[in-house]
């Protein structure tokens, strides 16, 4: 091929990417990544585990039971790499909750409730992403919670008409090969970090707005760069990064938090109680 | 503990060996201690949200002492190589656990289990 033809093709290719007219989910595998193994930079389908989590390497040196970030204080960090700077009543609520936990000798309050956004994305177990051109369903195994991202151009509903939900309402648009997800209308009892929920709806304000830029770093690593804005609850916008490792051989395992749950809280002391389940066959004398 | 138990080793550690992820904290367990028992698998309750393992340990008076050990959920154990039929009744195993704070209960949170073939699985 002559040099001018090559130059024309490169110019045309650059123009295509500048216009970004590809349909959602269309592969950007071809000319742009010639020489690389072909994979679709807009295809997030698959099973993903948080990098650094015990489940990503269950028999490795990290926590044996799936703690994201190894030996992090999960109650404070959950799986996030940074902490938000709460203020006002939201900070006081956090401090009171943590003080109650400390007095009861627990890391966090036992719960089978879904965490909602944004903690869902830092959940400890497997994430399953199912994606088509109109929608992404992001399923977190704990405790079986789905985050839906609409890609069909629909607007957010009027919050006066639709009640807030744990996962809020999320719409996504492509910026090159990065999906920019906008989430609003999240229930105020979800926690910005940590496990569980705020009992007095002071996890954040009803003005919380999350923008998540989701992209594939490479074929096997997905990353979210999140920004949480909430002028009522945060000193400054909270920015965090979450990275996931693709596990193509995994599949979701049913996790039923309240199936044979033996954990509860003593209503008086707040102490966590682990009850040994009844044994079916009792030991016999020898 | 009612009697000294053969094969039971209690080690006081300076540090917690790592927080575990679950729907609950681990306040019921003394995460600074480790107990190791050698015994026979009496029952496996392979259930959500946690698998429970019962191990009988021979005691001096001839009555086996029953230990109950809480492990991760099936979603954790399956990925660690502990499938529903991996640990079976009658197997001789060595179990290391964080014991319950209430020492009247012979129970713990699983750290690891050594199977008859020598394979070790973390909780």
């Amino acid at each position: 091929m002559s040099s001018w033809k090559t130059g024309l093709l490169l110019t045309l290719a650059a123009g295509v990417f500048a216009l970004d007219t590809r349909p959602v989910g269309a592969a950007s595998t071809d000319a742009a990544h010639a020489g690389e193994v072909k994979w679709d930079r807009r295809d997030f389908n698959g099973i993903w585990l948080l990098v650094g989590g015990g489940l990503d390497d269950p028999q490795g040196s990290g926590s044996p039971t799936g703690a994201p970030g190894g030996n992090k204080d999960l109650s404070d960090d959950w799986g996030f790499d940074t902490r938000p700077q709460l203020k006002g009543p939201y900070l006081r609520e956090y401090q009171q909750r943590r003080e109650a936990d400390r007095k009861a000798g627990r890391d966090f309050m036992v719960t089978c409730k879904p965490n909602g956004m944004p903690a869902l994305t830092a959940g400890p177990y497997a994430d399953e992403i199912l994606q088509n051109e109109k929608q992404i369903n992001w399923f977190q195994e704990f405790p079986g919670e789905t985050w839906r991202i609409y890609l069909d151009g629909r607007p957010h509903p009027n919050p006066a008409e639709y009640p807030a939900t744990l996962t809020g309402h999320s719409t996504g648009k492509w910026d090159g090969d990065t999906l920019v997800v906008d989430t609003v209308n999240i229930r105020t009892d979800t926690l910005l970090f940590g496990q569980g929920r705020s009992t007095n709806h002071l996890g954040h304000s009803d003005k919380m707005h999350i923008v998540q830029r989701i992209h594939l770093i490479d074929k096997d690593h997905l990353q979210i760069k999140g920004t949480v804005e909430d002028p009522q609850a945060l000193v400054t916008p909270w920015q965090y990064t979450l990275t996931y490792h693709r596990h193509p051989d995994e599949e979701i395992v049913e996790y039923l938090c309240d199936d044979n749950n033996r954990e509860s809280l003593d209503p008086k002391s707040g102490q966590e109680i682990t009850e040994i389940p009844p044994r079916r066959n009792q030991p016999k004398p020898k | 503990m009612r009697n000294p138990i053969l094969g039971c080793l209690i080690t006081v550690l300076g540090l917690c060996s790592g927080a575990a992820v679950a729907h609950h904290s681990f306040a019921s367990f003394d995460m600074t201690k480790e107990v190791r028992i050698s015994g026979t698998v009496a029952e496996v309750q392979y259930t959500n949200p946690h698998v429970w393992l019962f191990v009988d340990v021979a005691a001096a008076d001839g009555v086996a002492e029953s230990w109950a050990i809480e492990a991760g959920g099936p979603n954790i154990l399956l990925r660690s190589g502990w499938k529903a039929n991996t640990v079976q009744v009658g197997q001789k195993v060595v179990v290391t656990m964080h014991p319950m704070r209430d020492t009247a209960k012979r129970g713990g949170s699983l750290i690891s289990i050594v199977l008859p073939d020598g394979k070790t699985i973390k909780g």
Side-chain angles (χ1 to χ4, degrees):
Chain A
M1 186 180 292
S2 66
S3 60
W4 69 269
K5 285 180 179 175
T6 305
L8 177 60
L9 284 175
L10 288 172
T11 304
L12 288 172
V16 166
F17 279 89
L19 290 171
D20 195 20
T21 55
R22 287 166 293 151
V24 169
S28 56
T29 55
D30 31 1
H33 309 296
E36 298 177 13
V37 176
K38 290 190 175 182
W39 51 280
D40 186 345
R41 289 182 177 271
R42 289 186 173 191
D43 183 359
F44 303 160
N45 280 293
I47 299 285
W48 302 90
L49 296 174
L50 267 182
V51 170
L55 280 186
D56 191 27
D57 182 17
Q59 296 295 299
S61 56
S63 168
T65 45
N71 292 326
K72 275 185 174 179
D73 179 350
L74 294 176
S75 56
D76 276 352
D77 289 315
W78 199 224
F80 294 104
D81 62 334
T82 60
R83 293 184 183 185
Q85 286 184 274
L86 295 165
K87 65 179 183 182
Y90 306 95
L91 176 60
R92 287 193 291 278
E93 196 276 343
Y94 165 77
Q95 291 169 332
Q96 288 165 3
R97 175 162 46 83
R98 298 300 291 133
E99 179 62 13
D101 289 340
R102 191 192 63 77
K103 283 183 178 174
R106 65 189 182 226
D107 296 329
F108 54 88
M109 190 177 289
V110 56
T111 180
C112 282
K113 293 179 179 177
N115 289 304
M117 289 296 286
L120 178 151
T121 54
Y125 299 153
D127 294 293
E128 180 183 52
I129 298 178
L130 296 176
Q131 172 184 358
N132 63 28
E133 291 187 10
K134 296 182 178 178
Q135 184 169 332
I136 288 176
N137 278 14
W138 180 307
F139 177 85
Q140 162 57 219
E141 212 170 55
F142 179 90
E145 193 177 8
T146 302
W147 172 37
R148 292 173 178 81
I149 307 168
Y150 299 109
L151 309 177
D152 56 2
R154 74 181 68 182
H156 291 307
N158 182 349
E161 297 176 342
Y162 289 85
T165 59
L166 293 175
T167 50
H169 191 268
S170 298
T171 58
K173 292 180 180 175
W174 292 99
D175 176 11
D177 291 325
T178 297
L179 183 66
V180 183
V181 180
D182 190 280
T183 304
V184 295
N185 210 21
I186 303 164
R187 274 172 48 163
T188 52
D189 56 338
T190 72
L191 301 179
L192 296 192
F193 60 128
Q195 184 176 9
R197 301 244 286 279
S198 165
T199 54
N200 55 9
H201 283 261
L202 285 172
H204 54 86
S205 83
D206 60 359
K207 300 294 186 292
M208 183 166 77
H209 174 215
I210 306 175
V211 176
Q212 289 159 291
R213 297 181 62 84
I214 309 174
H215 73 289
L216 285 164
I217 302 171
D218 56 39
K219 184 170 64 71
D220 293 323
H221 292 88
L222 181 75
Q223 192 168 75
I224 293 179
K225 289 186 175 294
T227 301
V228 179
E229 295 176 333
D230 188 342
Q232 292 184 24
L234 293 173
V235 176
T236 57
W238 173 38
Q239 295 185 312
Y240 60 83
T241 302
L242 296 166
T243 307
Y244 309 83
H245 184 197
R246 186 193 296 276
H247 282 253
D249 297 330
E250 289 280 357
E251 61 182 52
I252 290 293
V253 180
E254 188 172 70
Y255 181 84
L256 303 171
C257 187
D258 58 0
D259 200 32
N260 184 33
N261 181 26
R262 317 306 300 184
E263 323 296 334
S264 61
L265 289 177
D266 184 302
K268 290 182 179 176
S269 67
Q271 291 283 344
E272 190 172 285
I273 302 165
T274 300
E275 177 196 357
I276 294 174
R279 180 175 156 175
R280 299 184 188 103
N281 56 346
Q282 295 300 316
K284 296 170 184 172
K286 294 198 172 182
Chain B
M1 257 169 271
R2 189 159 52 92
N3 289 312
I5 299 170
L6 290 174
C8 175
L9 171 68
I10 298 179
T11 308
V12 179
L13 300 175
L15 294 171
C16 167
S17 66
V21 163
H23 68 291
H24 63 92
S25 180
F26 286 80
S28 297
F29 304 97
D30 188 342
M31 304 298 276
T32 67
K33 291 181 180 174
E34 288 186 13
V35 170
R36 185 170 300 140
I37 59 171
S38 298
T40 304
V41 176
E43 189 170 314
V44 181
Q45 296 183 7
Y46 205 84
T47 55
N48 265 308
H50 288 274
V51 170
W52 282 85
L53 172 70
F54 292 86
V55 176
D56 285 346
V57 178
D61 60 6
V63 180
E65 292 196 327
S66 174
W67 281 78
I69 302 101
E70 187 182 44
N75 65 329
I76 292 174
L77 299 185
L78 283 168
R79 291 168 179 137
S80 299
W82 178 348
K83 297 179 173 61
N85 62 354
T86 299
V87 179
Q88 298 188 358
V89 171
Q91 286 180 331
K92 305 290 185 186
V93 295
V94 177
V95 174
T96 307
M97 70 187 97
H98 295 299
M100 283 187 157
R101 291 187 188 280
D102 181 356
T103 54
K105 298 177 181 175
R106 287 190 292 272
S109 175
L110 183 70
I111 297 173
S112 66
I113 179 171
V114 182
L115 302 178
D117 63 2
K119 183 180 179 183
T120 299
I121 299 175
K122 295 180 182 178

